[in-house]
Structures are given as structure tokens and as C-alpha cells.
Amino acid sequence: MSYLEIQSAGKRFISRDGKPYEALQNVNLQVEEGEFISIIGHSGCGKSTVLNMVAGLGLATSGRVVVDGVPVSGPGPDRMVAFQNHSLLPWLTVRQNIALAVDAVHKDQTEAERQQIVEEHITMVSLTKAADKKPGEISGGMRQRVGIARALATRPKVLLLDEPFGALDALTRGRLQEELLRIWEAHRITVVMVTHDVEEALLLSDRIVMMSNGPSARVAEIMTVELPRPRKRIEVINNPNYYRQRNELLYYLNKAKKEKLLRESGLKIPQVAPKVSTGGLEKTELFLGFVALSDCAPLVIAKEKGFFAKHGLDVTLNREPSWKAILEGVLEDRLDGAQMVAGMVVGETLGMFKRSNVPLATALTLSRNGNAITLARRFWDQGVRSNHDFKRYLDSDRKGKGHTFGMTHPASMHNLLLRYWLAEANIDPDHDLSMVVIPPPQMVANLQAGNIDGYCVGEPWNSRAVHEGLGFVPATDLDIYPGHVEKVLGVKESWATANPKTHVALVAALIEAGRYCDEPANREEVIRLVSQKTYVNSDPIYASLGLSGAYDYGFGRTAQTPDFNVFDQSGVNKTERLWVLAQMARWGLVSFPNNWRELFERVYCDDVHAKAMAQLGLEATPSTYELLSLPDGTRLDPADPLGYIERFAIKRDVTTTEFKLPSRLLAV
Amino acid sequence: MTTTKEPVITAPTTLAAPKTSPQLKQFMDNASVVVLPLIALAIFLTIWQSLSAAGMTGSLPGPLQVVQDTQPLVTGFFNNDENDKGLFWQLAASLQRVAIGYTLAAVIGVSVGILMGSVRGFQLALDPLFQILRTIPPLAWLPIALAALSQANPSAIFVIFITAVWPIIINTAVGVRATPQDYRNVASVLKLSKTTYFFKILMPSAASYIFTGLRIAVGLSWLAIVAAEMLTGGVGIGFFIWDSYNSSRMSDIILAVLCVGLVGFALDRLIYYSGRLLVVSE
């Protein structure tokens, strides 16, 4: 049994008109001896009621509170409170105020011993000079210090702090927080503090309890503060965990506030599907990154249509400026997971991006296809219609300035498809022109400014250029490699190991969302939701060009392309993963690992996918390695990937390696 | 030496120069506190004197006449002859009655008030009764007191008591009930004993309310004594005024009334300052 336990405690008040009001319901909390706990929540969430239940000033109407094995039946000095407004007696001096408490509590000690305790605590809060002053003659900060000294002087088992610094100015508050931190770290007393100050809670506490809104408030979540002790404010605010956890807390509070406002305005919180019991998720509040593209649809739909909520997840979608930012966000734990370009998960694990080689994992292909190549309008005027036309144009234009193409990330399909398309027409993407990384939302502007001559990117950024007459689409990925892996759900391997159930729930929610997106009848709604300001922020007309199945190549050429964006995941030929790796090796982006099968076993969590499918009651089509054929007639045989690479005329120096798989670490 | 001294002398004078102005202003402010009331008094006396000179005040003498007529009373202020007690002794007799009645009212009023404030049953039982009783004019109690006590002096004291007790009870009860929940929480968390709670928390917390009640009460009791003595007779300032009227010594009345006013003011200040000494508020 823990030192302090709140066991399914509830609190019911009878309001003036005789109606019962359920302030708290089924509140459970275990506090260990010497732990510093903060309770955070909006006013009216019942956090002070919880504190009063522990203090015994307002007893629980159901359940109970047990301190050191004894159930709380009333107030007592073993659970001393430092009240919000200090509650010093104004007619007694600082010393007399503390002495009143010491004399009342330590009756068995001699007069001299009691005086000793009083003086000791006056010194502890550095108030020796003000000891003979009355509360009215000292500052608010000093008064609160006396309040804390009085509470500590009774040597309580549990110290209860009710918004102790709420009434103080910011400077004094900061000083007192550090003083309390110092005293606590020296004495390691069990503390329960109520506060609405996120920074205060992070600085002081071991764990932070987030209360849900009343009525019937309960413990919504408990966060363990990941900051080393002893803490100093300066060190704390420089710790990367600080901002992440602070954001999580602020996010929680904002969400709680929104829900409160919604309820007050009498509206129901929209939820499509009833919540199913998912049981024992390691983590329910997730931050996922996405880039503003039509194919972020599964994430948007899972959020907007309540698929995340249905699987017990509370997901915040963070719009990230680039794929680089996405990767950094996941590596720095700012994001739990993210939409990633196809080669990123394997690439980072192999150390392709120089900076690091943190093992990543993926259990889900979020989308297939959805890309197109856009060339600037002037090539159309020169008669360019295909890659071979473009090659002829380049040959005739040797004297012209070099050409530059934009793609989104070295490990992205945009890079690999664009290179493949160029090389197919005998254009060497590294020698005949140059390639630059440009985040998707900035492609059109760069094309317009003349910084690039063409690019390969997902929608709506091709349609946008077509629609504005800036360029045309000579090829989509349907022409190059239909049905390729486009975006995957990437997480850190350590995250996946630490949160196996959450991982399954997340994948299940996204599978459902993907199936929802693929339903032609839903496409119109999907287009509308994805185009919203918080997501792609684009006129729905552009997004619709990819998602609706009618594709405009520009200058009069249109086609029905129902497979332009595909989100359903059934029937996987695992060789598609190898194609991505082989192409990255072809262009010298990675050294080809001979033990690629072993690597794939680690990186692709097919077991998680299978569990998620089972949870949804869906039958998973077994994934196998099969021969992969592309429209140009090339074939990738999983038995001979190096031979496949060798057959390309245009390639870089291909190297192979025996990749040493890092040991599985639980480090988060 | 002289060269170093020079700037030392000049510096303070230049610094002091602008300082004299606020000091002077302060002095003027203080002076006006005394001077302005004196001017008002002078105007009042002048009007009174001129009205009286014009014969418009009936048998009421003018201020100059009053000063002339009351010369013997002033010189014989402490006169302690059996039949001609000086004003001092008249006032002392009245003050003695007030002291007895008021002290009784204070002791009983505070006790009952604490009971009513801390025990809800008392409050519910007594409050309606007290709300009616407190509106009865002091003199209405006199016949009842005379009938019950059949003596003039105790009856007068009873009237003082019954006049003064209500504001004390009511204010004390309110003060006790107004003890901040915070202080009660402190007491219950510390498990303070009943006596410690009473003396260290309840009384100091209610003190400001109690003193407000005491101050209202002292004014009321002084109001009541003059009226009561007019009816009961004997030595006392109230009777002196009534006696003077019967003897048509109008100037004496005016002097006596002035004394009543001054004593009433002094009593009010006495309670006010003792309250200030004892009550500590935030």
C-alpha cells in the first residue's frame, strides 16, 4: 500500500436548491512517501476538493483517503495545509503564529524544545529579521513563507499546498518556488500541491495529476516529470523534456477548457463512433506530425471522424514545415510518430542522413501513389510532352543555364521517382541537372520565381501549378510505378517497444481511417476536411484534383485516375520495400546492406499491423516477397537486388555493406 | 579648511530651499484644521447674538448673556455643597450611572453575542426577539423599570443597560460568525483546544466587530441617561437641565447642554481609541 492513497473517492455536494452535485467521482491516486505531487486543472475541476479530502476539512462522500495506513476521518496536524492566502493570524507576530502551531502539535515536548523548533523554521525560510513583526507589516511573499514555515514546523506526514503562490506577483512567486524546491530537496517530505501554474508544477513535482472537468471530475492523466533532481530553474528550462512536457500540459489544459466551453454552450462533443474498450494503453495522448499534402488524409480523417478517439487515443496533429522537421521531431521525442516519406524509416536506421542513425520502425503504409512531376510552362511551349522530349530539349539546349529540379527529401519517393523518370530517358539527374530539397508547400512559389524548372511532389502542389498555368504534368507515378509505397507511419523503435498497445491502437485507427478515405462516397468529405486551414490549407479545388479521381495534367489533358491516391493497405508485395532501398542504393544515398532481410524484419513491424487488423476484425492478407514488375518492363527479383541495380545504365557507384543492427534499447 | 567648508554650507541651503515650501504647506493644512472650525463657531455665535439682540429668540439668551449669567456655575464647577452641587458632580453622578449600566451591558452583551454567534440554536431562538426589543425607545422602558424596581436610581441604570445592550449583542454575534473560514481551518487542522481557540482566534477575530458595537452603545447610553434623569430626579446632569428649566435659568441649560455634548464626545473617543489599541486587523 502506498503512503497516501485516495481510493475511488467521490464528493457530492447538496446545492442550495437541494439538488445533489457530484463534484468528484472515482478519484484514485497513490502517492509514495517523499513524493512531490501536483494536481493541475481548471478552476472548478475539484482539485481543491481533493486536497480538502486529504486534509480532512471536507471528507469524501464515497471511497476513502488513507494516509500511512490510517483512513482520514477529520483534519489533523499530520496533514498540515499551507493555505492559498497564507491564513496567518494578523494579531500574532510571525514567531507567535508559528509557535501557536508548534505548541498545539508538539505538546509532549518541553518549552525549550518547542522554542527551538520555532526558531529553526524561522531561519529555514530566512525570516529571522521579521520574526517579531505582525503579518500586516511584512510583504505578501514573506507571509506565504511564514505559512509554509508554520506548516513544516508541525512536522506533518503530508504537506498540502493549496495554490501556495497564486496570490503573489511573478517575481516573488519564482523566488518562493525555488525556496520551496530547496527546502523540499533537503527534507524530502511528501507533498501534494494544487496549482494552475504549469511551470510551477513542472519545476517542483515528481508527478503531475491532471484532473478532468467537473461535474464528476476524476483523474484524467498522470504525467511523470522527466527532469533530473536536484533541479534548478535555469537547468530545468534548458532541458528538452521541459518544453515537451510543458506543451503536453498546456495542450491538456486547453483541451479541457474547450470541452468546458462546449459543454457550457450546451453542445455535444462530436464523436462519430462509440468508444471501444482498448484497455491498458501505455500512452493515450499522442502528437503526430504531418506535412500539408492531400495524402495526410488518413491522419486528418482519423482525427476528425473520431477513429483515434474510438481507439482510446487523444491525438494532436502537428503540421510540420518539412520532412526534415518531421524526422527531427520524432528523433527529439517532440512527436510520438509521424507521416514519413517511404525511404525515411530505413534511411535513418542506416544512418543515411549523416546526423545520426536512430532505429526507426513502421507498421503501416499510410498511402500509395499520389505524386506527379511538374515541368515549367516554357517546356510545354518548347514542345516537351514526355521525358524523352525533355531529353531532346536538353540536348538541343546545351548552352543554356543548368536546370534545377525540386524534390521534398532525399529518401522520398519524389526524389526516387523523379530520378527514375529522368534516367529512363537517359538523363543523369546528378550530372545533367541539379536536384534541390524544397518542402512541398513551397514548390509552386519556387517554380513561379524561376528557382526551379520542375519538381516531383504530392498533391495539391502539382494541381496548383497546373491550375495557375505555371506548368504541366508530363507524368504521374501511375505512369512510372503504380501502387508504390508513398507515406508510412514512422515511429522510433524505442517508442514502439515502450508503447506496444498504443502502437497497435494507433495503427488500427489509421487503418480504419484509410479505409474510410478509400470509400469513393466519402471522398468529397475527405477533400473538404483535408483542405481546412489547420491541415493543407488550400482551396478544395486543388485537393480534389488528386483525391476525386479526375486528374488534370494541364493544357487540356485530363484523365480519370481513381487510383491516384490510395489508402487501403491490403495485399502487400514486400518487394516494394526493397525497391525503395535498391533505388536509394542506386543513387548512392545508402550503402546496400547485404542483410537487408534482417533489417526489414526489424524496421517493418508486420506483427503490429496484424494485431491491429485482428483488433478490427479484419482479415490480413499475408505479405510476401514476390517478383515486382514496373510498367517500363524492369523486374525486381528479391533474390537478386544487386543484379537489379547493376542493370541500370545510369547509376552511382553502388557499395554494399554488412549492416550491424543496433541492439534493441528501451531508452526513450 | 575654509575652502572645503564653503561648498558644505552652500549645498544644504540650495537643497533646503525647495523643501520649505511643502513644509509650509503642511503647516497651513494643520492650521486650517484648527482655524476653520473656529471661524465657523464665530459666525454661528455672531448670528445667534444678533438674533437674540433683535429679540427673535424668545426667552433664550444670547451667547454674551449666557457667559455673564453662568459665571457662578463656572467658578463653582467643583462646588460640593449639599444643595448646590457644582456641574462637575452633576456630570460625575450621571457618568457613574452610565458606567454601571454600560459595563453590565458590555459583559452581558458580549457573552450573549458570542453564544448567538457560535451556537446556531441560540441565534435562531433569540434573534427575532432581540430584533423587536432593540427598536423600543429607551424611555419606554422607564415605567416598566420603575414598576419592577420601584426605585429611581436602579431604574435609570436599567434604562442605560437596556439601551446599550442590543448593539453589543448583535455586533458581537456578527463578529463571531464572521470569523474567517481560513482561521477556523487553521484551528481544526492544528486541533487547537477550545480555550486556545477562544482566546487566540475567536476573540481577536471578532474584536473589531465587538468594539463597533461598544462604540454605538456608549453613544446611545449617554443619550438615554439625560432623558432618564429628567424623569427620575436626584443628582445628575439630566435632572440639572430639567431643574434649570423649571427655574427659568436658561443660561445654565445652555452651559449644561454644552457639557453633555463634550462628555458624550469624550466617551466616544475613549472607546474608539481603546479599540484601536486592542484590535489588530490585516
Side-chain angles (χ1 to χ4, degrees):
Chain A
M1 183 179 230
S2 298
Y3 193 65
L4 163 63
E5 282 204 3
I6 302 176
Q7 300 167 343
S8 19
K11 180 80 184 178
R12 177 198 291 257
F13 294 105
I14 305 296
S15 62
R16 264 168 216 272
D17 50 4
K19 282 185 197 145
Y21 174 79
E22 208 83 39
L24 297 173
Q25 207 171 32
N26 202 20
V27 173
N28 285 290
L29 182 65
Q30 280 99 38
V31 182
E32 298 305 327
E33 188 167 7
E35 218 183 347
F36 197 123
I37 297 285
S38 289
I39 303 178
I40 201 161
H42 284 289
S43 55
C45 72
K47 53 192 195 298
S48 288
T49 313
V50 173
L51 201 77
N52 281 340
M53 281 191 327
V54 179
L57 291 167
L59 293 175
T61 44
S62 62
R64 60 176 195 166
V65 180
V66 181
V67 175
D68 199 11
V70 184
V72 168
S73 60
D78 58 329
R79 287 155 282 122
M80 186 62 192
V81 190
F83 299 94
Q84 180 175 12
N85 45 357
H86 63 77
S87 296
L88 298 178
L89 303 174
W91 45 88
L92 299 180
T93 62
V94 166
R95 181 177 282 117
Q96 287 167 337
N97 262 296
I98 299 175
L100 180 75
V102 171
D103 291 347
V105 175
H106 302 298
K107 289 198 189 80
D108 48 337
Q109 307 209 10
T110 65
E111 179 70 35
E113 281 171 335
R114 293 200 297 245
Q115 267 176 20
Q116 170 71 28
I117 296 172
V118 172
E119 296 307 320
E120 190 186 302
H121 285 86
I122 291 175
T123 318
M124 181 195 282
V125 293
S126 336
L127 281 171
T128 323
K129 280 185 190 146
D132 291 312
K133 288 193 171 150
K134 293 200 169 129
E137 299 163 330
I138 58 178
S139 68
M142 288 162 98
R143 272 177 248 166
Q144 200 58 53
R145 262 151 56 188
V146 181
I148 290 168
R150 177 176 66 181
L152 287 170
T154 62
R155 309 247 161 95
K157 286 177 178 166
V158 180
L159 176 64
L160 304 170
L161 302 169
D162 188 1
E163 302 210 12
F165 312 125
L168 302 176
D169 65 273
L171 273 178
T172 316
R173 189 160 63 229
R175 244 194 358 256
L176 283 194
Q177 285 163 356
E178 289 189 71
E179 199 162 317
L180 178 62
L181 187 62
R182 177 180 60 78
I183 293 171
W184 182 83
E185 285 184 339
H187 294 75
R188 292 281 169 162
I189 185 173
T190 313
V191 179
V192 179
M193 176 174 81
V194 160
T195 183
H196 58 251
D197 184 338
V198 167
E199 279 99 1
E200 177 172 293
L202 277 173
L203 177 68
L204 295 168
S205 338
D206 293 315
R207 286 188 296 153
I208 300 173
V209 177
M210 289 167 253
M211 299 283 296
S212 71
N213 287 326
S216 304
R218 59 196 165 74
V219 174
E221 225 167 296
I222 299 179
M223 174 195 276
T224 304
V225 179
E226 296 159 28
L227 298 168
R229 289 194 189 269
R231 292 181 191 158
K232 288 225 161 55
R233 185 186 299 275
I234 279 292
E235 291 164 16
V236 161
I237 60 173
N238 285 323
N239 190 308
N241 287 340
Y242 178 76
Y243 282 101
R244 179 176 53 85
Q245 298 206 302
R246 179 172 165 270
N247 283 346
E248 280 177 37
L249 287 170
L250 286 177
Y251 167 79
Y252 175 81
L253 288 178
N254 278 336
K255 188 182 55 135
K257 188 178 215 164
K258 269 188 211 146
E259 280 169 11
K260 194 175 166 186
L261 291 177
L262 264 178
R263 189 169 37 232
E264 279 165 5
S265 64
L267 288 169
K268 276 238 164 94
I269 299 161
Q271 194 152 28
V272 165
K275 198 163 167 168
V276 293
S277 170
T278 44
L281 293 183
E282 296 83 7
K283 198 171 179 194
T284 56
E285 197 172 313
L286 302 179
F287 291 80
L288 300 181
F290 72 96
V291 171
L293 289 159
S294 304
D295 56 17
C296 70
L299 293 162
V300 173
I301 291 304
K303 165 105 182 147
E304 294 286 325
K305 299 301 289 180
F307 292 114
F308 284 139
K310 179 183 163 190
H311 290 273
L313 298 172
D314 178 2
V315 173
T316 307
L317 294 181
N318 282 3
R319 184 162 74 180
E320 300 291 328
S322 66
W323 296 112
K324 192 163 167 265
I326 286 259
L327 180 61
E328 278 166 5
V330 170
L331 294 183
E332 289 164 2
D333 295 322
R334 185 169 57 77
L335 300 171
D336 292 287
Q339 179 193 26
M340 284 185 180
V341 289
M344 187 177 267
V345 173
V346 168
E348 170 62 25
T349 308
L350 289 171
M352 166 179 166
F353 313 116
K354 310 291 186 282
R355 212 183 67 141
S356 59
N357 60 329
V358 177
L360 297 185
T362 178
L364 181 70
T365 303
L366 283 169
S367 63
R368 295 176 181 278
N369 301 335
N371 299 318
I373 293 165
T374 295
L375 288 179
R377 181 196 179 116
R378 58 192 166 82
F379 298 117
W380 178 272
D381 300 337
Q382 298 284 337
V384 175
R385 298 292 180 271
S386 69
N387 48 352
H388 298 284
D389 293 344
F390 187 57
K391 168 70 178 164
R392 275 191 287 279
Y393 168 79
L394 286 178
D395 288 341
S396 66
D397 189 43
R398 280 288 169 209
K399 298 186 293 285
K401 68 172 177 76
H403 291 95
T404 308
F405 274 72
M407 46 85 182
T408 59
H409 192 268
S412 70
M413 286 308 281
H414 316 117
N415 184 27
L416 302 180
L417 290 170
L418 181 59
R419 283 169 179 270
Y420 196 94
W421 181 75
L422 291 166
E424 190 194 11
N426 222 13
I427 303 168
D428 189 318
D430 292 314
H431 295 145
D432 297 337
L433 37 81
S434 54
M435 305 271 270
V436 292
V437 173
I438 292 173
Q442 295 169 29
M443 286 294 185
V444 180
N446 275 293
L447 182 73
Q448 189 163 25
N451 298 333
I452 49 176
D453 304 287
Y455 52 76
C456 179
V457 75
E459 292 303 333
W461 309 115
N462 298 295
S463 301
R464 184 75 189 274
V466 167
H467 199 83
E468 290 178 12
L470 298 167
F472 66 102
V473 174
T476 68
D477 44 16
L478 296 177
D479 305 314
I480 305 164
Y481 173 7
H484 67 80
V485 184
E486 172 54 27
K487 302 285 159 49
V488 298
L489 172 71
V491 298
K492 263 165 113 173
E493 186 186 66
S494 55
W495 185 94
T497 317
N499 304 291
K501 287 180 182 164
T502 304
H503 198 189
V504 172
L506 179 60
V507 170
L510 287 168
I511 290 174
E512 278 203 89
R515 294 169 71 92
Y516 187 91
C517 291
D518 264 352
E519 201 60 53
N522 297 333
R523 275 292 166 99
E524 207 160 305
E525 184 190 16
V526 172
I527 290 165
R528 185 174 54 76
L529 290 172
V530 167
S531 304
Q532 287 181 97
K533 215 179 171 89
T534 38
Y535 304 118
V536 176
N537 188 19
S538 162
D539 191 315
I541 192 160
Y542 303 129
S544 76
L545 293 173
L547 287 167
S548 68
Y551 199 82
D552 185 353
Y553 288 80
F555 302 106
R557 184 183 162 209
T558 56
Q560 287 299 313
T561 51
D563 294 336
F564 190 80
N565 283 104
V566 183
F567 304 101
D568 196 3
Q569 311 310 325
S570 53
V572 176
N573 175 2
K574 288 208 259 187
T575 312
E576 66 184 19
R577 301 166 181 172
L578 183 59
W579 188 89
V580 176
L581 179 60
Q583 288 295 327
M584 292 201 294
R586 173 189 179 188
W587 300 114
L589 297 168
V590 292
S591 190
F592 188 83
N594 290 321
N595 53 339
W596 59 271
R597 276 175 196 266
E598 200 189 342
L599 172 70
F600 281 8
E601 281 306 305
R602 274 283 286 276
V603 165
Y604 293 98
C605 313
D606 290 332
D607 55 326
V608 173
H609 188 265
K611 277 184 202 162
M613 290 291 274
Q615 204 174 74
L616 294 170
L618 297 171
E619 206 175 327
T621 323
S623 330
T624 46
Y625 288 105
E626 287 157 29
L627 193 68
L628 181 76
S629 306
L630 262 59
D632 63 358
T634 57
R635 288 160 166 239
L636 170 56
D637 181 355
D640 182 23
L642 285 171
Y644 168 74
I645 302 172
E646 280 306 314
R647 284 194 291 278
F648 289 110
I650 299 177
K651 58 179 179 293
R652 303 283 83 81
D653 293 333
V654 177
T655 58
T656 60
T657 181
E658 201 64 39
F659 183 66
K660 197 175 172 298
L661 290 165
S663 55
R664 253 179 217 273
L665 287 176
L666 240 174
V668 180
Chain B
M1 287 293 279
T2 44
T3 45
T4 51
K5 259 185 181 175
E6 266 173 2
V8 178
I9 295 160
T10 48
T13 42
T14 47
L15 276 174
K19 266 192 182 171
T20 47
S21 165
Q23 276 168 352
L24 191 68
K25 193 172 180 297
Q26 181 69 35
F27 175 76
M28 290 296 283
D29 281 352
N30 288 342
S32 54
V33 172
V34 181
V35 173
L36 290 180
L38 284 178
I39 294 172
L41 184 64
I43 292 170
F44 169 71
L45 290 175
T46 313
I47 294 170
W48 180 12
Q49 181 62 41
S50 24
L51 286 176
S52 147
M56 289 165 70
T57 53
S59 57
L60 201 66
L64 291 172
Q65 184 71 37
V66 171
V67 172
Q68 239 167 27
D69 291 349
T70 55
Q71 203 63 38
L73 271 178
V74 175
T75 50
F77 192 68
F78 295 105
N79 195 355
N80 199 6
D81 198 319
E82 191 58 38
N83 295 318
D84 179 23
K85 293 229 182 242
L87 266 181
F88 173 81
W89 295 105
Q90 304 282 356
L91 286 167
S94 297
L95 278 173
Q96 194 191 1
R97 288 192 188 96
V98 167
I100 297 170
Y102 180 73
T103 308
L104 273 174
V107 171
I108 293 173
V110 170
S111 316
V112 175
I114 288 173
L115 268 182
M116 281 177 68
S118 36
V119 185
R120 202 171 142 72
F122 279 100
Q123 168 75 20
L124 291 176
L126 298 177
D127 192 60
L129 190 64
F130 288 179
Q131 292 296 345
I132 295 168
L133 291 182
R134 77 184 177 90
T135 59
I136 297 171
L139 282 187
W141 288 102
L142 194 60
I144 298 171
L146 281 170
L149 303 169
S150 47
Q151 276 180 357
N153 203 36
S155 302
I157 291 172
F158 176 78
V159 171
I160 304 300
F161 166 80
I162 208 77
T163 312
V165 79
W166 309 121
I168 300 177
I169 291 177
I170 289 162
N171 275 281
T172 306
V174 169
V176 169
R177 273 200 306 276
T179 306
Q181 190 59 43
D182 291 338
Y183 301 163
R184 292 175 206 241
N185 283 347
V186 169
S188 53
V189 169
L190 290 174
K191 290 193 170 161
L192 291 183
S193 67
K194 283 259 185 313
T195 28
T196 317
Y197 177 69
F198 184 81
F199 286 109
K200 288 280 169 80
I201 291 181
L202 193 124
M203 284 305 278
S205 166
S208 67
Y209 287 87
I210 294 176
F211 271 95
T212 308
L214 289 175
R215 210 176 137 198
I216 297 169
V218 83
L220 285 179
S221 55
W222 190 241
L223 289 183
I225 185 69
V226 176
E229 283 177 350
M230 281 182 182
L231 300 178
T232 54
V235 185
I237 193 71
F239 179 71
F240 176 84
I241 291 169
W242 194 239
D243 192 42
S244 303
Y245 175 72
N246 286 335
S247 336
S248 296
R249 293 200 304 269
M250 301 317 275
S251 299
D252 291 6
I253 295 177
I254 289 165
L255 181 66
V257 164
L258 183 65
C259 287
V260 168
L262 289 172
V263 169
F265 178 71
L267 285 176
D268 183 70
R269 292 285 103 178
L270 180 73
I271 304 295
Y272 173 66
Y273 283 113
S274 44
R276 278 252 301 238
L277 273 179
L278 290 169
V279 177
V280 181
S281 55
E282 264 177 83

